[in-house]
Amino acid sequence: MTDLVARARPFALLVLTGAGLVGGLILTLVGRPDAAAWVWAVPAVVVGIRLAWSIVRDLIAGKAGVDVIAVLAIAGALALRELFAASVIAVMLATGEALESYAEGRAHRELTALLGRAPNDVRRYRDGELDVCPIGEVRVGDRLLVRPGEVVPVDGVVRGDPAVLDESALTGESRLVNREEGDTVSSGVVNAGGPFDLQAIATADASTYAGIVRLVEEAGQAKAPFVRLADRYALYFVPLTLGMAGLAWILSGDPTRALAVLVVATPCPLLLAAPIAIVAGISRAARRGVIVKGGGPLEALARARVLLFDKTGTLTAGRPHLATVEAPDGDPDEVLRLAAALEQASPHVLAAAIVHAARRRDLTLSLPVDVVETPGGGVAGTVEGRAVAVGSAGFVAGEDGLPTWARELRRRAVMEGSSNVFVRIDGRIAGALILDDPIRPETPRAVRSLRRAGFARIIMVTGDHHAVAELVGAAIGLDGVLADRAPADKVDAVRTERDIAGGPLVMVGDGINDAPALAVADVGVAMGARGATASSEAADIVITVDRLDRLAEAVRIARHSRSIAVQSVIAGMGMSLVAMVLAAFGFLPVVAGALLQEAIDVAVILNALRALRGGTERPIIVPGWADTGGRLMTEHRTLAPGIARLRVVADHLDTMGPAEARDALVGVRSFLVETLVPHEEEEDREVYPLLASAIGTDDATAALHRTHTEIFHLVRLFGRIVDEIGTDGPTIDDRTDVQRALYGLDAIVRLHMAQEEELYASIDPDVSAELTLRAA
């Protein structure tokens, strides 16, 4: 209520002064000049007293205000009996204050919205009944009811009926998401479906949204260095104005010249335009899921030219992903099913990835029994009456050692930076699971966008081995790779690169081990969607959505906002100084000066509000992409096991018997002809035209279309080779031709999928979804 009154006060003052100005004019026209003088004078006195009290409060607080110019202007107009001018000055000042209030409200709108959404009460189950209690009383394990349209109060797990959620407040993306029984839900999202039960896994203070609210509160407290510099210059503006006014009076002998200088003098470009532009940038970044902790980090981000990235969880997905299932003598799906069934009993991070991959393939997982886990080795137990062991090579193979195919696989995994988990079934090594940490689909585009935004040097600093780090760095086009770095080494790397750069440096990370480097950097950026609290607390900027390309957006917003702030100050103060000179020489009367002063204020504030839009790259917008893109990515994941099978068959073809080899090749051909080719044809026929239309040219999709042509050619070639294989199986020459075709298909299909996923990731799902909703 207090905030509402405070926001309404400037507009009430504008109504009062405006009514006084208009009322005085009417009284003058009807021949009541004395009454008109009082009607003009009273609002001017009210405004003058209010400004004088503001000056006193500033002085008590140890701050020097520039409102003294406005007070002197009103007092001078009243003293010189320029009552109409005094009324006009009062109206102009009230208009400026109202405009400032409006502009600050616009600039703070997204930040205020985040703070205002925090719930105060919850509905909690107690003894079979539902009661309402303050959110601060919620404890871990409490079961809550979240009604339609309500904000999820604490982090929790869905219980009972599934939930349909709007996560746009946290992610900036307007797509609705479904959360099933057992799925984790972050506080701050909105229930967009029916009521559902939530079991709390954190208290309100420890939940996601509370952390974001704390970050937002910090964002509004610190001034940018440029804004602090503007404040200092505004103080110099007071003696400059008084000196110019006094000089004009002395040289001309006309006190109205001094009054005209005071009236036209405005420090508004310094005091209002700069902070409004900076805060508008902070607010705009918040709308895209990037919380900037104040104007200082925003300005430093705008000036930075060197960028350091951590690897895991920043440039890469940060969680293991099952890439391949190798089963030379069996069914890969069966090997995965038994391994995942056993891994259900393990808390290991790789176990979760294996179970997740099996469920994505709709494999039925039985509950294991007699489970024994060896730390650092693996887990063993019984699944459906079969003895299963999953773990490292030493744990699974024991004293027998690994077979030849397994040794080759392990060597290849080490070279490629992947993890390998072996599977033993009934005493025999039946297969292996290859897991990797894939590069984020949006990472290459984000790096290119950051270069276009002005970063001259982009480096990766990671604790991973040099070979793995070099592979990732080369894949995304970085300028340098610093590998095998402990947390203390990362701090040293930040300091060294900053000394070389000679300017602000940005460090991006997501884990606890990144926190020291984030704290030392000029701008620390935490990928806070899953990152540790320590990194989020140490960082100056927190990206709350799990997308690296939002960093490039934040950089462009920061540079756009700072550019507008500088532009507003230079142009506004230039116009103000010119007007003061004109007034001092008598070319600008008092009333005209007041109107010009207000025009300058309005111009610079409206210009500052331009920071709320523009400055970013034009997004690729495809109506309906929120659904289409999700479907295509799901299809890619479905195709992954079949694509991985190409290389597995090629690797083991020489060790297969004739009948086994023919069956394997027929199975691969079936996958290619019946699954892969129809998928690629559909993309060529339906998806690529949509993308070409959205981009404005078919240049981007032409290369992908050419790759399709090559894939179709290799599939036809492979099919002809398989058709020519007799019942006795492939000959030595056949095997060579088949392996050549399979290796070629494996390489080109993997590259093609990566290119497509990078392009798909560049499409803005938020805007595309919004356009689809509008069309509906």
Side-chain angles (χ1 to χ4, degrees), residues 176-190:
L176 300 181
V177 296
N178 297 312
R179 301 298 182 197
E180 304 294 333
E181 162 89 25
D183 286 350
T184 301
V185 176
S186 297
S187 59
V189 303
V190 177

Side-chain angles (χ1 to χ4, degrees), residues 512-549:
I512 293 176
N513 63 326
D514 298 320
L518 295 179
V520 170
D522 299 285
V523 182
V525 181
M527 298 291 291
R530 290 188 324 275
T533 302
S535 62
S536 296
E537 292 295 332
D540 303 294
I541 297 174
V542 179
I543 301 177
T544 63
V545 57
D546 197 22
R547 288 183 65 94
L548 183 62
D549 50 5

Side-chain angles (χ1 to χ4, degrees), residues 311-466:
K311 180 181 80 71
T312 305
T314 304
L315 297 172
T316 64
R319 41 181 163 335
H321 165 79
L322 180 66
T324 309
V325 180
E326 300 253 2
D329 302 322
D331 179 8
D333 280 350
E334 181 65 8
V335 171
L336 174 60
R337 187 182 73 83
L338 293 175
L342 179 61
E343 291 283 25
Q344 291 178 104
S346 173
H348 197 279
V349 63
L350 295 183
I354 293 169
V355 173
H356 179 69
R359 286 177 174 161
R360 277 202 161 173
R361 298 189 190 187
D362 295 324
L363 302 179
T364 302
L365 305 184
S366 304
L367 290 177
V369 296
D370 303 327
V371 177
V372 177
E373 183 159 9
T374 303
V379 59
T382 303
V383 179
E384 298 174 357
R386 307 183 70 177
V388 180
V390 181
S392 65
F395 176 80
V396 170
E399 297 179 357
D400 297 334
L402 292 173
T404 302
W405 67 265
R407 290 197 300 272
E408 293 176 352
L409 181 146
R410 185 170 63 169
R411 183 167 54 251
R412 189 175 74 231
V414 171
M415 293 174 59
E416 295 178 351
S418 302
S419 301
N420 51 77
V421 176
F422 291 94
V423 182
R424 186 180 69 226
I425 302 174
D426 293 332
R428 182 179 65 88
I429 298 180
L433 311 177
I434 307 300
L435 299 103
D436 59 18
D437 180 15
I439 296 172
R440 293 172 179 268
E442 75 272 14
T443 293
R445 175 178 171 269
V447 170
R448 292 196 300 272
S449 181
L450 287 164
R451 290 195 186 281
R452 290 193 297 271
F455 281 98
R457 182 168 170 79
I458 302 178
I459 301 170
M460 178 171 65
V461 53
T462 177
D464 275 3
H465 297 302
H466 186 76

